[in-house]
Amino acid sequence: MRGAGQVGWAAGVVAVALAATACGGGTGGGGGADDVVSSSWGDAQNPLEPGNTNESQGAKVLDMVFRGLRRYDPKTGEARNVLAEKIGTADGRNFTITVKDGWKFSNGEPVTSRSFVDAWNHAADVRNKQKNGYHFSNIVGYDDLHPATGEPRAKAMSGLVVKDDRTFTVALKKRYATWPQTLGHHTFFPLPRAFFTDHAGWLAKPVGNGPYTVDSYAKGTVLKLRRWDGYPGEDRALNGGVDLKVYNDGNTAYTDLLAGNLDLVDDIPMQQLKQVRKDLGARYITRPALVLATLTFPMYDPQWNKEGMEKVRKGIAMAIDREEITRQIFHGTRTPATDWASPALGTKGGYSEDACGEACTHDPAEARRLIREGGGLPGGRMTLTSNVDAGSHLEWMDAVCNGINNVLGEGPVCTVNPIGTFAEFRNQISEHRAPGPFRSSWQADYPSIQEFLQPLYRTGSADNDGMFSDTRFDRLVDAALETADPAEATRLFLDAEKILAEQVPVIPLWYQDGTAGFSERLSNVALNQYGTPVYDQIKVG
């Protein structure tokens, strides 16, 4: 997931000092002020519509206001049916989806098969400029609705067909047997007719079908959500609502939490990690999240992609002391990486304790030997690039460079290129102007090893910033997507990781844990696989 969803890339959450007394009332029918949770928030970068939200701050709102065909279980990450009564296929390419009866949007409109088909076509239509439109690129007719250039050649994707109010069919371009696993992502949420008939009005106050309704939204200040008592799902909100309060500085939010002016901080600032357990005790919680921090090599640069450079790239990876950095700088909220995925997947889901092998092992002597044997650093120097407006990046990147410099013993040959803003940094990366390896981080859109490999390393993928390309890797990924056996798919993805271990186009650094701290008013606070609080299950009092 791009933007703030790429947790390490986010430009630092913004803080406005707000009185944190929770407000009650609202259209959702929730409880009074004493029943509302006040939580820190980073505001949404984009309009709060499913097809246009591609960062974590907006996504957490959509996941409270909407429910889709499936949902990822907050405890296990397993994709479970919610509005889908049945998702059937005989060939892994053509699917028939039956929508459960009795579901409505909070404005009273029924949720039908057309609610999904219209929403998906809207997101895919190139004229609507939806950031998540590519999620539908594997559906037949996408290219006509979203051509590379020019106007659409169709009004809708031909692969989406409404059969009746509760049934629609989906035809994919090629076999993708595990496609139903992706349907818990917010891009696939349904939309009411009100979204299309009064789009501006809907954006000002989004209407969904989830356990909360939007009571009010003052961008840059606060978004107030209230429990919807008409919600028919099993995961009804256990509190009266949530006030998401925008903070520019995580330290200010943390201070408000300690002072009793805020109920929940869902990302403990780096500067507070040393004393957070002393401050909060059992009210500080962590959980491994679907987030991996990496260093990406610019494989589009011939200097970094010539023959023998795979040894240099591996040597650089082995020069990094992950254990020391995660302990001294991140205070245990990061775990040294051993693969290109995440332990939050579990071994059944594709996590591997040794896929990275030697490349993720700190071995200064071997690192020095490999770098020299591979021809040395290009031009005898290397520059690491990162934005530095998110707080802690400069510190750990300096530590990485110090480790490389100590290994080589040739002076300060590794230096950091600090970029002032996240936007400027991303522009440099997307325009392939990085002078050397650059900071990267990825939060999976859904719990699957495929989400960590295909978008980032398959040839031509939109998120393949380093432009790595290997036909063997591509064939294994394609074969994994087409198999109907989840265990076989995982095996093929693990085989693809072996190629990453051989080539090291990207260095795995560490997995990020979700962190949160909460007030004495709250109980039943937990984090899901994205490191986000399960807001609807929080109890007050």
Side-chain angles (χ1 to χ4, degrees), residues 134-383:
Y134 69 92
H135 280 274
F136 304 97
S137 61
N138 51 11
I139 296 177
V140 172
Y142 173 84
D143 296 329
D144 291 328
L145 190 58
H146 197 115
T149 59
E151 290 294 303
R153 298 182 294 271
K155 294 182 178 180
M157 290 180 283
S158 58
L160 289 181
V161 179
V162 174
K163 295 296 186 180
D164 56 46
D165 280 350
R166 294 183 53 208
T167 310
F168 67 102
T169 58
V170 185
L172 303 182
K173 295 176 183 177
K174 61 181 181 179
R175 181 181 172 84
Y176 185 176
T178 57
W179 177 73
Q181 303 304 312
T182 71
L183 297 179
H185 188 249
H186 62 260
T187 298
F188 298 98
F189 286 160
L191 288 169
R193 291 307 306 161
F195 175 89
F196 303 98
T197 58
D198 182 11
H199 192 210
W202 189 95
L203 290 178
K205 192 173 183 179
V207 172
N209 64 324
Y212 293 99
T213 62
V214 175
D215 183 65
S216 63
Y217 181 21
K219 189 166 181 60
T221 304
V222 62
L223 171 64
K224 296 183 178 182
L225 301 168
R226 294 298 177 263
R227 181 178 64 224
W228 178 31
D229 289 335
Y231 175 66
E234 297 179 356
D235 54 336
R236 294 173 59 84
L238 301 183
N239 50 67
V242 180
D243 284 353
L244 296 173
K245 302 192 172 189
V246 179
Y247 279 82
N248 236 336
D249 180 359
N251 292 293
T252 304
Y254 187 79
T255 299
D256 277 353
L257 172 66
L258 295 183
N261 296 324
L262 190 68
D263 289 323
L264 179 63
V265 173
D266 73 340
D267 189 8
I268 303 299
M270 200 65 59
Q271 297 91 329
Q272 309 299 335
L273 289 174
K274 287 184 178 180
Q275 70 270 8
V276 64
R277 294 187 185 279
K278 180 180 178 181
D279 290 342
L280 298 177
R283 292 184 287 113
Y284 167 61
I285 57 175
T286 67
R287 175 179 175 175
L290 291 167
V291 181
L292 175 67
T294 55
L295 275 178
T296 297
F297 288 98
M299 302 296 282
Y300 48 82
D301 183 344
Q303 291 190 98
W304 283 103
N305 198 18
K306 62 185 179 183
E307 186 176 353
M309 286 305 291
E310 69 277 2
K311 293 182 180 180
V312 176
R313 296 192 297 266
K314 182 177 179 180
I316 292 170
M318 297 180 72
I320 300 171
D321 192 343
R322 295 163 182 77
E323 292 281 355
E324 180 74 8
I325 293 174
T326 54
R327 182 174 63 253
Q328 294 294 334
I329 296 178
F330 294 110
H331 305 288
T333 60
R334 307 291 189 274
T335 303
T338 62
D339 75 344
W340 282 266
S342 166
L345 295 174
T347 54
K348 184 179 179 181
Y351 164 64
S352 172
E353 294 182 350
D354 58 7
C356 187
E358 291 181 346
C360 287
T361 302
H362 183 229
D363 188 335
E366 181 65 6
R368 185 182 307 111
R369 185 189 72 79
L370 284 169
I371 292 172
R372 290 175 176 172
E373 187 176 301
L377 302 179
R381 304 185 64 84
M382 66 180 290
T383 302

Side-chain angles (χ1 to χ4, degrees), residues 488-500:
E488 174 65 7
T490 297
R491 185 191 69 77
L492 290 166
F493 281 125
L494 291 173
D495 284 346
E497 275 196 296
K498 293 177 182 177
I499 295 171
L500 298 181

